[in-house]
Amino acid sequence: DEHDEHDVQDQFDVLIMDCLDPNDDHPFAKVLYTDDGYVTSLYDALTEDGILVVQVGEASEIDDAADENGDFENRSTMIKMLDAIGFKSIHIYEESHCEFLAPWTTLI
């Protein structure tokens, strides 16, 4: 299995990714959330029971298009990639008390 090739010493119990928002109009934001090599490297860097925590931007509103069709396409792509790579459980949490102009979301 290609995911077993890394030494366990190079793996982490928890990775936290708090960087550009997935819907930022910046080419690097798209890479962080949609590049297969990068997203796979997150999985590979975790121990078998490791946890990935990702800040995934502003929460969608009730009248927004579905993530995959609207402003949050990069977030949707990342979630699909994480599922395909082998993450056993993916949850999105919304925080509305973070002092931003809108509720924010975190993927765990």
Side-chain angles (χ1 to χ4, degrees):
D1 182 6
E2 69 183 63
H3 299 294
D4 293 335
E5 68 188 43
H6 297 284
D7 190 294
V8 174
Q9 294 176 0
D10 295 336
Q11 294 181 315
F12 299 91
D13 293 323
V14 177
L15 286 177
I16 300 171
M17 183 174 128
D18 184 13
C19 50
L20 296 170
D21 298 336
N23 57 322
D24 278 352
D25 187 23
H26 191 283
F28 190 61
K30 184 169 181 115
V31 170
L32 290 172
Y33 294 91
T34 66
D35 181 76
D36 186 54
Y38 179 72
V39 175
T40 300
S41 74
L42 296 173
Y43 182 86
D44 290 343
L46 289 167
T47 60
E48 185 175 330
D49 294 325
I51 297 171
L52 175 65
V53 180
V54 181
Q55 179 277 118
V56 288
E58 186 178 327
S60 302
E61 296 200 17
I62 193 85
D63 58 349
D64 286 339
D67 280 1
E68 57 271 11
N69 298 321
D71 292 336
F72 305 103
E73 181 180 6
N74 293 342
R75 174 171 58 206
S76 175
T77 299
M78 180 183 220
I79 292 168
K80 289 176 186 173
M81 292 173 76
L82 293 173
D83 184 50
I85 289 169
F87 278 88
K88 297 174 187 168
S89 181
I90 300 171
H91 303 276
I92 301 285
Y93 294 93
E94 188 174 305
E95 168 56 53
S96 60
H97 300 90
C98 54
E99 305 275 335
F100 292 131
L101 297 176
W104 227 245
T105 56
T106 302
L107 177 146
I108 298 178

